[in-house]
Amino acid sequence: LQTETAMFSVALELLERCRGDTRVVFFAANALAGKVRERTFSTELDEAQRGELVRRMRESFAATARDASCELASRRLAMGLANAATKLGPEAVKDIVSLGQTVASSAGVDDAAMRVGIELVACCAEEVDEAESTRRRALAQSCSSLTEGVLNMVSQVFKAVGGASTKERDALRA
């Protein structure tokens, strides 16, 4: 199944239908993240299929991010979404960064959604940084308009945690 494009559909169906089983959700998210990294995503799926895949991954990310028991699956989806977005182009990257900001901003400081939302933003930054030089510039320029919003979000997180030492604050400082 890993070698076929049908795997995308199967993994998405598992994510959408089996949210109560964290093992199945993690398996599906991990499979999607790995499959998006392969050339299959760019070569065997047309633009409409790639767009639909990312749309459904976005929806699954937003849903799993709100469930603390699915935090690891959300992190895998974040990696896959960031990779897919950089392959789709600047507008997709902006869209995924905005999703990360929205998820993180709608959560409490000690909430899994805050952690995975920030992780999604970080994954996008890493993927943009690792993109081939011809695409990196356009991707980075598209994200530059979001920099102020990302910095504001991180500042709000620091203010919310105050002086208390928490694993989230320590992770953000690292």
Side-chain angles (χ1 to χ4, degrees):
L1 194 58
Q2 274 289 83
T3 61
E4 300 178 17
T5 57
M7 196 289 306
F8 288 120
S9 296
V10 171
L12 286 167
E13 287 293 320
L14 288 172
L15 275 173
E16 293 164 354
R17 294 179 184 214
C18 300
R19 290 219 176 100
D21 188 336
T22 58
R23 293 174 297 176
V24 172
V25 171
F26 178 79
F27 168 79
N30 193 47
L32 279 170
K35 195 69 171 169
V36 166
R37 284 203 168 290
E38 294 177 7
R39 290 184 58 202
T40 306
F41 178 79
S42 299
T43 60
E44 294 183 26
L45 298 178
D46 63 32
E47 188 174 339
Q49 290 171 315
R50 288 189 301 264
E52 176 66 10
L53 174 69
V54 170
R55 183 192 66 74
R56 289 176 68 191
M57 286 176 70
R58 271 182 56 100
E59 291 172 1
S60 292
F61 177 82
T64 59
R66 290 189 296 270
D67 183 349
S69 69
C70 293
E71 184 172 354
L72 289 176
S74 296
R75 288 178 177 203
R76 293 292 186 195
L77 279 172
M79 292 187 308
L81 275 169
N83 187 272
T86 58
K87 291 176 180 176
L88 291 177
E91 288 305 311
V93 171
K94 286 173 64 172
D95 186 47
I96 298 303
V97 169
S98 294
L99 171 64
Q101 287 177 279
T102 301
V103 167
S105 297
S106 66
V109 174
D110 289 330
D111 195 24
M114 186 271 304
R115 292 188 294 273
V116 297
I118 289 173
E119 181 138 355
L120 179 56
V121 172
C123 286
C124 283
E126 288 174 12
E127 289 292 338
V128 166
D129 189 50
E130 293 173 4
E132 62 186 346
S133 60
T134 56
R135 291 181 322 125
R136 185 182 314 125
R137 182 179 176 143
L139 293 170
Q141 286 177 333
S142 73
C143 292
S144 66
S145 64
L146 301 173
T147 303
E148 185 177 338
V150 170
L151 292 174
N152 185 36
M153 177 187 70
V154 171
S155 174
Q156 289 174 351
V157 170
F158 279 128
K159 286 178 187 173
V161 295
S165 179
T166 65
K167 66 180 178 181
E168 289 80 13
R169 190 180 104 214
D170 295 343
L172 286 171
R173 285 201 170 149

Coordinates of all heavy atoms in Angstrom, one line a residue, residues 25 52 60 80 119 124 126 157 161:
V25 N -5.0 6.6 14.1 CA -4.8 8.0 13.7 C -3.3 8.3 13.5 O -2.9 8.9 12.5 CB -5.4 9.0 14.7 CG1 -5.0 10.4 14.4 CG2 -6.9 8.8 14.7
E52 N -6.6 18.8 -3.2 CA -7.6 18.1 -2.4 C -7.0 17.3 -1.2 O -7.5 17.3 -0.1 CB -8.4 17.1 -3.3 CG -9.4 16.3 -2.5 CD -10.6 17.1 -1.9 OE1 -10.8 18.3 -2.2 OE2 -11.4 16.5 -1.1
S60 N -8.0 17.4 8.9 CA -7.6 16.4 9.9 C -6.7 17.0 10.9 O -6.8 16.7 12.1 CB -7.0 15.2 9.2 OG -7.9 14.5 8.4
G80 N 3.9 16.5 7.4 CA 3.4 16.3 6.0 C 2.8 17.5 5.4 O 3.1 17.8 4.2
E119 N 4.3 24.0 16.3 CA 5.1 23.0 15.6 C 4.9 23.1 14.1 O 5.8 23.0 13.3 CB 4.9 21.6 16.1 CG 5.7 20.6 15.3 CD 6.3 19.6 16.2 OE1 6.2 19.6 17.4 OE2 7.0 18.7 15.7
C124 N 7.0 24.5 8.7 CA 6.9 25.2 7.5 C 8.2 26.0 7.3 O 8.8 26.0 6.2 CB 5.7 26.2 7.5 SG 4.2 25.4 7.1
E126 N 11.1 25.3 8.5 CA 12.2 24.3 8.1 C 12.1 23.8 6.7 O 13.1 23.7 6.0 CB 12.1 23.1 9.1 CG 12.6 23.4 10.5 CD 12.4 22.2 11.4 OE1 12.1 21.1 11.0 OE2 12.5 22.4 12.6
V157 N 2.3 34.0 23.8 CA 2.5 32.7 24.6 C 3.4 33.0 25.7 O 3.2 32.5 26.9 CB 3.1 31.6 23.6 CG1 3.6 30.4 24.5 CG2 2.0 31.2 22.6
V161 N 2.5 32.6 29.8 CA 3.1 31.7 30.8 C 3.8 32.4 31.9 O 4.2 31.8 32.9 CB 4.1 30.7 30.1 CG1 3.4 29.7 29.2 CG2 5.2 31.4 29.4

